Amino acid sequence: KWSTLEDDELSRERGLPNDRVPTDHLPIAALFKRCPHLRLDEKAKVSLIELLQKLEGRQMNEMQSLLAEVDRQRAELAKQLNANEETSTDPSQTHENKRQKMKKKMAPPSPQIIQHIRSSRSSIKLMRESHRVERENFVKERCWLERLELKHFLGVTPKLWINISS
């Protein structure tokens, strides 16, 4: 058993190194006791996972609804544009119509379609950002034990989940 430096009178008076202890490198020993870490009880774990799944499910439904609405609007816009073009062309010129349709397929989209694409991308970006902020707040409200359980359940860190979802 080792004593402390203060127990050696010569070392206490003169310091280290000295005649009795020729170095200032003293052995240090530590004894560690392994203890299990705290865990959430099963009821709290189930409740946390249910909250997480509700959040993810709701966000997925919101995004799917937005994407469906965007697709519906685009189809409606394309239908309107096609109807306008059909009324402006003479149906007796079928060969010319075929040539125009080929050119139309190769031509860039109409300004209305381009505007629709831009506005839909903006809407999707805003929704993704609001979902990210919501996930971030969800994680901030959790204690460290809940965050640890989230990490085990998700397979990634909560910080990574915040940024990669949606």
Side-chain angles (χ1 to χ4, degrees):
K1 189 172 182 176
W2 293 321
S3 63
T4 62
L5 185 62
E6 289 79 18
D7 290 343
D8 181 23
E9 193 171 318
L10 181 64
S11 296
R12 187 176 63 229
E13 290 174 8
R14 294 188 185 171
L16 295 177
N18 60 37
D19 297 334
R20 191 156 172 247
V21 181
T23 180
D24 60 351
H25 297 278
L26 298 176
I28 297 176
L31 182 61
F32 295 97
K33 180 182 175 187
R34 186 175 170 109
C35 298
H37 67 80
L38 296 174
R39 294 185 184 265
L40 281 179
D41 65 349
E42 197 60 33
K43 185 178 178 182
K45 187 188 301 187
V46 168
S47 175
L48 175 66
I49 300 306
E50 285 176 354
L51 283 173
L52 174 72
Q53 289 173 334
K54 283 180 185 175
L55 174 70
E56 285 184 324
R58 185 181 49 74
Q59 287 184 349
M60 187 171 27
N61 288 339
E62 287 175 358
M63 186 58 74
Q64 287 174 347
S65 295
L66 177 62
L67 293 173
E69 179 64 19
V70 164
D71 289 343
R72 186 194 64 74
Q73 289 174 352
R74 182 165 182 175
E76 187 177 298
L77 183 58
K79 187 177 179 181
Q80 287 174 355
L81 292 173
N82 286 339
N84 290 344
E85 287 178 9
E86 286 177 8
T87 58
S88 65
T89 60
D90 184 11
S92 63
Q93 299 174 350
T94 57
H95 182 66
E96 190 63 33
N97 285 346
K98 288 180 183 177
R99 184 183 288 175
Q100 285 178 350
K101 285 182 182 180
M102 291 295 285
K103 283 184 179 180
K104 182 182 171 191
K105 285 183 181 180
M106 298 173 82
S110 69
Q112 295 93 338
I113 295 288
I114 291 172
Q115 179 57 35
H116 171 73
I117 291 170
R118 286 181 179 157
S119 65
S120 62
R121 284 180 180 166
S122 176
S123 299
I124 292 168
K125 185 176 179 180
L126 286 172
M127 182 171 283
R128 282 189 177 140
E129 179 58 22
S130 71
H131 285 175
R132 188 197 63 75
V133 168
E134 194 175 4
R135 288 188 303 274
E136 186 174 42
N137 290 335
F138 178 81
V139 171
K140 281 182 183 178
E141 294 170 355
R142 307 291 148 225
C143 70
W144 70 272
L145 283 175
E146 291 172 321
R147 290 180 187 182
L148 185 63
E149 193 56 48
L150 286 174
K151 181 180 177 184
H152 289 300
F153 179 77
L154 296 168
V156 295
T157 63
K159 187 175 183 179
L160 187 59
W161 170 76
I162 289 168
N163 294 313
I164 64 172
S165 291
S166 210

